[in-house]
Amino acid sequence: KCDWIISAIGQEANLDGVDGDGKIQVTKWKTVNAKEGTFDTDRPGVFAGGDVVTGPADAIDAIAAGRMAARAIDRYIKTGVVEPFVDRFESRRDNFHKITATDLPALEKSERHGITELPVAERIRTFAEVDHAYDDRTAFEESLRCAECGCDLGLACILQDYCTEYGVDQKRFVGEFNRYKVDTRHPFVKIDSNKCIRCGRCVNTCAEILNVSALGFVNRGFRTIVKPALEKALHETNCVSCGNCIDVCPTGALVEKMPVRRSGPWKMDSVFNVCNYCSVGCNITLKVKTPDLFYVTGAPPELGPNRGELCVRGRFGYQHYLDGTRQSKPMVKKGGKLVEATWDEALAAVKSGMARIREAHSADHIMVAASPKLTNEELYLAGRLARAAVGTNNLASFHHLVNEADYHALDDMLGTTLATVGTKEIESADLYIFLGGNPTMENPVLGWQMKRRMRHGTEAIVINSAEIDLTDYASVWADPRRGTVTTLLNGIMAELVRRDKVNQAFLKDRTTNFDQFKAGLAKYAPEEAASITGVTPDTITRIVDQLTNRDKKIVAWYNLDSRIDRATNDLKALTTLMLMLGKIGVDGSGLALMSGECNHTGMRMAGFDSRLVPSGAPLGHERMLGEISALWRIDLKKLTSESTSSLARRMREDKIRAALVFGENPATSPELNSFVNNLEFLVVADLFLTETAQMADVFLPLSSYLETEGHLTSWSGLRQKTNPIGQPVNGFSTVDILKKLCELLGHHVGLDNFDQLTSELEFLSSQYGVHGRIEGKFPTPDGKAHFVLYSDQVLPTRAEVPVVLEIDSRMTARMKLIRA
């Protein structure tokens, strides 16, 4: 049954209205006379193709003619000139030599799959289909028989574009040629030296951007080629596997090893997005064929803080979305096992389970945990779920709990624990102070940018017990014993006081309590600090000399999540030093507080923290409590005042009996595994069926950040929007899931769309006046920074902790392939 039947057999054209018109020539065969290649007729602006020109022919010939004529028409309209369509230049191996079996990669022999046919005895008795199509399995197996000719970059090769533009004839230049085996040893990068034109872009990228020498020119003359030295595999060199060489290669000699059997080429759409790994907030370009077939390249250099550069996580960290382990169906535990269920069944199980816990205990025996990889909007709703729907202030990130960092270290000093500078200040600083951690490993793109500036003259003080790669370019490297950095900084501050090199005007106008703090520095002499820390008095003196010039713009770098070289009060001591120098809250200088997670700052601004409310204001901020209480229609002040003990303590004391966990996997930690296993009711919402999810009573599949709208806030307060590349495969966005959970637990959110949700969060931030970064006045009650006393007790932390974020865990496992 159909609406139209279109005859596709060749027939004689009907030239009524054309035949006999002297301005359009018609042949004796009753066809229009159109020029070959351009399809234009004698009448200007009139083009013809298909059966009306060729006479009866195949439909595909007419389609091809229409496509080529369309290109000629487009050119004519734009320029007024009729030119034939020129085929794109193709480099063919058989132009150089006859193709033999040795030119093909090693392939297992695979016989063609036959088509199932209806037996003859049955055909004569029926009009049923005789030839049956392949089933899904057979079609897939047949597709894998393809020997895969062509180039991965066949639709985006710059050299091919130039060859087409200049009309290159490859056969004119046939002569001796090199033949190289394709190198696929690197887990993420494929090197095909047969396509290399020795332009040196990849070599320069390694040397100038990253200051490594993974690639170089090998051999001389005609045999010169770009590859790692000594026949090493790329990952056996000092390559950092960032893949930036892939972006600059113009010919496909360096391409990504795709996580699919066939690597293209495909025509892809470009969608700009934000990396969801560390807090730098790099812009990325998603090359999208379909929502389940895409890859990542660098964004245009003019966009974002990364200027087109990416690290290994930003470029290759997307592949877990395509490996087939993503969950898209809700699950409910029945008979001790998780089984697939409908959304209605899963939500009903959540409602009954939460009601049971509330009846047996109270709302204060329930916690809500969420990942710092969720968007601002998702974290805001998760906090609203906890406080307004569940009725508890037990909200936290397990990532924060296992890291044991003081994410509120500067709340008493500066009013909040946020950065005070941005990318512009880092690019113009005269002196860097690096405290602990390793910028080029933890926040690579920003680390590389700072390393390049150090190579070109920017001074730097590196305080780290390990010889990280920045020490080669540092003005001074201090290597204190682990856990003694606070003592070292106190010794430096004491020497600054003795030399009277503190900024007295800044201390008087912008700070309080300095005299009280200053009195405690008297005991720190360079020799005393040296004996405790192991740093020589001469090194301490050199550091002090670097800090005495008041005109220097100083940026101090510190990663909150890093545990490589951290002790309890290092950040307080570093901030105190910067305040004494008058380098916080002023133009050009300040603190760069980094994180290993993309939305650590957004988590603070969304108020997903038991000590904060949405906008990032402290829990005791009366005006903000009133604003939020009015919006949420609850008494938030009463709720938060009833929270008398820390969440970590309540967990240890077995006072948490139920949990809702969004995007985290605490069961990977031995301590938290027993906590999770002891819960009476557990709801896990995640992309994957993690260890924690397998212990859940209800599992809810989340949408990925590539499927939903939202915002991520970088370390410096830069708020960037994510752009979805398709609809959520689970049927609901994470925002929708959170709203549904609020509704079934008795709290009506009342936000009809994404714009209303974003506007509500922006309104709260505007009321408090802090937008992810401290600028100008300090957000303290008196507007000044406060010096506080802290301990210098030597308490080093463990260098490694369990990874409780599944995406990070999967990327860590993939990076082990590089180091193998």
Side-chain angles (χ1 to χ4, degrees), residues 518-538:
K518 177 181 174 182
L521 292 176
K523 64 178 181 179
Y524 292 97
E527 294 76 14
E528 180 68 18
S531 66
I532 296 173
T533 64
V535 178
T536 64
D538 178 62

Side-chain angles (χ1 to χ4, degrees), residues 300-415:
E302 64 272 13
L303 293 181
N306 54 314
R307 299 199 179 107
E309 298 171 36
L310 291 177
C311 73
V312 61
R313 289 174 291 180
R315 184 177 300 277
F316 304 116
Y318 71 92
Q319 295 184 1
H320 56 259
Y321 291 111
L322 307 179
D323 64 7
T325 59
R326 170 99 180 266
Q327 298 296 312
S328 60
K329 301 289 186 182
M331 305 177 87
V332 175
K333 184 163 286 184
K334 296 179 180 179
K337 293 184 178 181
L338 282 173
V339 296
E340 287 190 5
T342 65
W343 275 101
D344 288 341
E345 290 173 331
L347 292 173
V350 173
K351 184 175 183 178
S352 62
M354 295 297 287
R356 174 165 51 83
I357 297 299
R358 280 171 160 172
E359 183 178 347
H361 304 283
S362 70
D364 204 34
H365 285 74
I366 303 170
M367 74 172 288
V368 177
S371 163
K373 289 189 184 298
L374 298 182
T375 65
N376 296 349
E377 290 78 8
E378 291 164 352
L379 289 165
Y380 173 69
L381 283 178
R384 191 162 175 174
L385 169 67
R387 286 166 166 159
V390 176
T392 181
N393 196 45
N394 296 324
L395 63 164
S397 164
F398 283 114
H399 171 78
H400 286 178
L401 293 176
V402 299
N403 270 290
E404 300 173 353
D406 189 351
Y407 293 97
H408 296 274
L410 307 183
D411 290 4
D412 293 339
M413 298 179 68
L414 305 182

Side-chain angles (χ1 to χ4, degrees), residues 160-412:
Q160 192 176 15
D161 291 339
Y162 283 132
C163 289
T164 302
E165 181 179 350
Y166 291 104
V168 171
D169 180 2
Q170 190 178 30
K171 293 182 180 180
R172 287 181 57 202
F173 305 100
V174 172
E176 188 178 359
F177 60 91
N178 295 316
R179 185 183 297 179
Y180 301 101
K181 184 179 179 181
V182 178
D183 187 348
T184 60
R185 291 175 291 176
H186 192 286
F188 305 140
V189 182
K190 180 168 68 175
I191 305 176
D192 187 351
S193 296
N194 298 290
K195 299 171 185 174
C196 178
I197 60 173
R198 289 74 165 169
C199 65
R201 289 184 177 186
C202 56
V203 178
N204 291 336
T205 297
C206 263
E208 297 299 323
I209 295 180
L210 306 172
N211 195 41
V212 297
S213 53
L215 294 169
F217 290 100
V218 178
N219 302 327
R220 292 178 178 271
F222 184 66
R223 301 298 177 188
T224 301
I225 195 64
V226 174
K227 65 178 182 178
L230 303 175
E231 301 299 329
K232 286 185 176 181
L234 186 58
H235 62 279
E236 294 173 353
T237 68
N238 59 347
C239 172
V240 296
S241 301
C242 64
N244 289 304
C245 56
I246 294 174
D247 279 348
V248 299
C249 179
T251 64
L254 291 160
V255 294
E256 177 181 351
K257 287 174 64 176
M258 297 289 289
V260 291
R261 176 70 181 266
R262 297 287 179 253
S263 53
W266 303 288
K267 288 186 177 180
M268 313 292 268
D269 296 323
S270 294
V271 179
F272 297 125
N273 218 310
V274 188
C275 175
N276 74 327
Y277 279 91
C278 82
S279 62
V280 173
C282 292
N283 282 191
I284 61 176
T285 300
L286 292 164
K287 295 291 187 178
V288 182
K289 180 64 176 176
T290 62
D292 59 351
L293 180 56
F294 63 90
Y295 63 92
V296 172
T297 66
E302 64 272 13
L303 293 181
N306 54 314
R307 299 199 179 107
E309 298 171 36
L310 291 177
C311 73
V312 61
R313 289 174 291 180
R315 184 177 300 277
F316 304 116
Y318 71 92
Q319 295 184 1
H320 56 259
Y321 291 111
L322 307 179
D323 64 7
T325 59
R326 170 99 180 266
Q327 298 296 312
S328 60
K329 301 289 186 182
M331 305 177 87
V332 175
K333 184 163 286 184
K334 296 179 180 179
K337 293 184 178 181
L338 282 173
V339 296
E340 287 190 5
T342 65
W343 275 101
D344 288 341
E345 290 173 331
L347 292 173
V350 173
K351 184 175 183 178
S352 62
M354 295 297 287
R356 174 165 51 83
I357 297 299
R358 280 171 160 172
E359 183 178 347
H361 304 283
S362 70
D364 204 34
H365 285 74
I366 303 170
M367 74 172 288
V368 177
S371 163
K373 289 189 184 298
L374 298 182
T375 65
N376 296 349
E377 290 78 8
E378 291 164 352
L379 289 165
Y380 173 69
L381 283 178
R384 191 162 175 174
L385 169 67
R387 286 166 166 159
V390 176
T392 181
N393 196 45
N394 296 324
L395 63 164
S397 164
F398 283 114
H399 171 78
H400 286 178
L401 293 176
V402 299
N403 270 290
E404 300 173 353
D406 189 351
Y407 293 97
H408 296 274
L410 307 183
D411 290 4
D412 293 339

Side-chain angles (χ1 to χ4, degrees), residues 6-14 50-52 54-62:
I6 301 173
S7 176
I9 60 173
Q11 297 182 5
E12 183 179 292
N14 183 348
D51 286 8
V52 75
T54 63
D58 293 334
I60 191 63
D61 293 329

